Amino acid sequence: EDNKALKTVLLLIGSFCACWSLYTLTTVWKLFGPNSVPPSLVRVGLALTLCNCCIDPFIYSIRDQTMNQEIKEMVGKFFRKNN
């Protein structure tokens, strides 16, 4: 059980680092670099930071059977309600 929790935390930290690294590097480049940062690179970095918020629930649902079951029930209720 402790090992599973450790893996989940490591996945969350890894996704955080992956999603925020490009934005952080472009911001540091903007502050200290002599050349300007390409705007497309900044936009991609911002998009990745927003993706971090979307990734976390998926990590939790993949790693936890109870949460996985609850999400399936919520999605099922949502689609049944809209039909």
Side-chain angles (χ1 to χ4, degrees), residues 20-83:
W20 279 89
S21 61
L22 182 61
Y23 179 74
T24 304
L25 290 173
T26 56
T27 302
V28 170
W29 183 5
K30 263 175 144 174
L31 290 173
F32 300 111
N35 302 338
S36 64
V37 179
S40 60
L41 198 59
V42 174
R43 276 188 239 119
V44 170
L46 284 172
L48 283 173
T49 59
L50 294 174
C51 287
N52 186 53
C53 299
C54 301
I55 291 171
D56 288 350
F58 289 108
I59 292 174
Y60 284 121
S61 68
I62 290 169
R63 301 293 301 160
D64 185 28
Q65 283 300 103
T66 306
M67 184 173 260
N68 193 355
Q69 186 75 20
E70 293 292 325
I71 289 173
K72 284 180 183 177
E73 287 178 20
M74 284 188 334
V75 169
K77 286 178 184 177
F78 176 76
F79 284 115
R80 281 190 298 257
K81 187 173 107 176
N82 287 335
N83 286 336

Side-chain angles (χ1 to χ4, degrees), residues 3-17 59:
N3 203 16
K4 187 174 181 177
L6 175 65
K7 288 179 183 178
T8 302
V9 170
L10 289 175
L11 277 170
L12 291 168
I13 291 171
S15 71
F16 178 85
C17 291
I59 292 174

